[in-house]
């Protein structure tokens, strides 16, 4: 199909019934430069139909459980089809480019890649804070790190959303809940690998009774930081000149995890003092933490404006 004399790009979302897939679909349906390949309901899980749709697409977005995502990625026979996987399956796979454009030279690599792994939500916050510091030798790769992350319940998908929104819900859902207690959370491998760390961080995710928004905090002792908080701020200001990550000096007494709910960009800040430093990343777990990030990567892969179709707090 053509529009305004230009060939529309075809995109297939494999797994468009889940939270992330639905949001990507909703965003792309509004676009006039994109034609979505949509399978009828009875063909949605048909392997032959999915395989054909994937190989007919310019970009195939996988919104599937890990094993199903690995299977779907193996369906790709068309050398021109770009695969963007939103699952955990390929985030540390050397054959996939990690889809966080703002770090290292990832933006250029995403633009020419055929295999892109969309980042995890908690991991995005951690990596936005730590990757610039290890890259610029502000902290050593063997620095012991501790991270806690607050998220709205929408990050748990349809089942968790239904639990939190149910009438007469369990009273225990009215308070924040820690999880990932065994220190084996699925985002840990990408957090360690992408930041070039020698030690896996201690990580405590917490789901709270609000719909969306994420606040990821990493704590540092000042004697582990070369140049202290001043050096950290200088690195962030220089590092994040382009893209959806924005550094701001903190002047608030309270930092709400819902500050960027509904937006697709990310705010990072530095708090604390020279002895004990807090690094904080705030964004929407459904935005820069999921579907917004996927759309950003779609845009880069298509060579269109990176922010097309995104809702930005920082214009």
């Amino acid at each position: 199909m053509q529009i305004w004399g230009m060939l529309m790009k075809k995109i297939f979302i494999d797994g468009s019934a889940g939270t992330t897939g639905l949001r990507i679909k909703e965003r792309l349906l509004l676009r006039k430069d994109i034609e979505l390949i949509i399978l009828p309901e009875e063909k949605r899980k048909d392997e032959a139909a999915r395989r054909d749709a994937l190989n007919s697409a310019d970009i195939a977005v996988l919104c599937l459980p890990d094993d199903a995502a690995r299977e779907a990625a193996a369906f790709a026979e068309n050398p021109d089809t770009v695969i963007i996987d939103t699952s955990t399956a390929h985030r540390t796979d050397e054959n996939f480019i990690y889809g966080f454009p703002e770090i290292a030279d990832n933006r250029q690599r995403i633009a020419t890649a055929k295999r892109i792994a969309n980042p995890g939500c908690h991991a995005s916050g951690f990596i936005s804070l730590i990757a610039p510091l290890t890259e610029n030798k502000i902290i050593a790769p063997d620095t012991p790190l501790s991270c806690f992350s607050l998220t709205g319940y929408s990050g748990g998908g349809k089942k968790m959303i239904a639990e939190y929104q149910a009438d007469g819900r369990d009273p225990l859902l009215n308070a924040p809940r820690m999880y990932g207690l065994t220190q084996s959370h699925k985002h840990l491998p990408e957090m360690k690998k992408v930041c070039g760390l020698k030690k896996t961080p201690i990580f405590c995710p917490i789901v709270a009774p609000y719909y969306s928004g994420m606040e990821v905090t990493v704590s540092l002792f000042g004697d582990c930081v070369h140049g202290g908080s001043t050096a950290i701020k200088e690195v962030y200001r220089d590092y994040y000149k382009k893209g959806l990550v924005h550094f701001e000096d903190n002047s608030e007494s309270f930092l709400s995890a819902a500050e960027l709910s509904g937006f697709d960009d990310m705010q990072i800040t530095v708090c604390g003092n020279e002895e004990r430093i807090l690094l904080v990343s705030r964004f929407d777990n459904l935005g820069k933490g999921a579907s917004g990030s996927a759309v950003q990567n779609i845009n880069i892969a298509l060579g269109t404006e990176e922010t097309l179709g995104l809702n930005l707090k920082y214009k």
Side-chain angles (χ1 to χ4, degrees):
M1 184 181 295
Q2 291 188 337
I3 185 166
W4 300 110
M6 297 179 63
L7 189 66
M8 295 177 69
K9 297 297 186 179
K10 294 182 178 182
I11 295 183
F12 172 56
I13 304 170
D14 195 359
S16 61
T19 304
T20 298
L22 278 172
R23 290 200 166 243
I24 296 171
K25 181 179 178 180
E26 289 169 358
R27 294 166 183 265
L28 298 184
L29 281 172
L30 301 174
R31 300 270 291 265
K32 297 187 182 301
D33 61 328
I34 285 172
E35 177 186 353
L36 282 182
I37 300 173
I38 300 176
L39 297 178
E41 183 61 29
E42 66 273 14
K43 295 285 188 180
R44 192 166 61 84
K45 295 185 179 181
D46 181 271
E47 180 179 318
R50 290 169 53 220
R51 185 189 294 269
D52 182 63
L54 187 149
N55 286 289
S56 299
D58 294 290
I59 297 178
V61 185
L62 310 183
C63 301
L64 302 163
D66 286 5
D67 288 343
R70 293 186 186 96
E71 179 185 62
F75 290 166
E77 298 168 349
N78 183 345
D80 295 323
T81 298
V82 175
I83 303 292
I84 298 178
D85 183 12
T86 69
S87 81
T88 313
H90 298 104
R91 290 178 186 158
T92 59
D93 189 322
E94 296 294 339
N95 296 311
F96 278 68
I97 300 303
Y98 194 73
F100 200 105
E102 291 82 4
I103 61 170
D105 60 349
N106 279 17
R107 181 175 282 101
Q108 292 180 338
R109 298 171 73 202
I110 291 166
T112 58
K114 296 301 181 185
R115 300 290 182 270
I116 301 164
N118 216 55
C121 54
H122 297 287
S124 291
F126 180 86
I127 288 165
S128 71
L129 299 169
I130 298 302
L133 304 187
T134 53
E135 185 179 329
N136 287 278
K137 299 181 172 29
I138 301 298
I139 61 172
D142 59 354
T143 303
L145 295 175
S146 176
C147 172
F148 69 89
S149 180
L150 295 169
T151 182
Y153 59 78
S154 59
K158 284 185 172 181
K159 181 178 178 182
M160 184 173 285
I161 292 171
E163 289 175 345
Y164 272 88
Q165 295 183 347
D167 293 333
R169 71 184 188 190
D170 187 333
L172 292 179
L173 299 184
N174 296 331
R177 297 186 297 160
M178 297 168 57
Y179 63 105
L181 302 178
T182 62
Q183 290 302 302
S184 56
H185 192 279
K186 63 182 182 179
H187 290 178
L188 281 167
E190 64 188 284
M191 291 161 68
K192 180 182 180 183
K193 181 178 186 294
V194 175
C195 293
L197 298 174
K198 293 183 178 179
K199 296 181 179 179
T200 302
I202 297 173
F203 176 48
C204 178
I206 301 165
V207 59
Y210 64 100
Y211 184 72
S212 71
M214 185 165 276
E215 186 172 71
V216 179
T217 303
V218 178
S219 54
L220 292 170
F221 286 107
D223 57 9
C224 294
V225 180
H226 300 295
S229 63
T230 299
I232 294 174
K233 293 177 183 180
E234 289 176 352
V235 165
Y236 287 163
R237 284 193 187 96
D238 183 65
Y239 200 89
Y240 291 120
K241 289 181 177 178
K242 182 180 180 181
L244 302 186
V245 182
H246 307 272
F247 170 72
E248 286 201 351
D249 271 322
N250 174 52
S251 60
E252 301 178 60
S253 299
F254 293 89
L255 292 179
S256 171
E259 175 69 22
L260 273 80
S261 179
F263 294 100
D264 292 310
D265 35 11
M266 174 185 286
Q267 178 210 83
I268 62 172
T269 193
V270 180
C271 308
N273 53 53
E274 290 306 321
E275 292 183 358
R276 299 178 306 283
I277 301 169
L278 295 175
L279 312 177
V280 184
S281 178
R282 295 191 291 176
F283 54 105
D284 190 331
N285 53 286
L286 298 177
K288 183 61 169 165
S291 64
S293 176
V295 171
Q296 182 185 13
N297 284 321
I298 288 170
N299 289 337
I300 295 172
L302 292 178
T304 60
E305 169 56 44
E306 188 172 327
T307 60
L308 187 63
L310 300 180
N311 184 30
L312 304 180
K313 184 178 180 71
Y314 302 95
K315 305 294 185 180

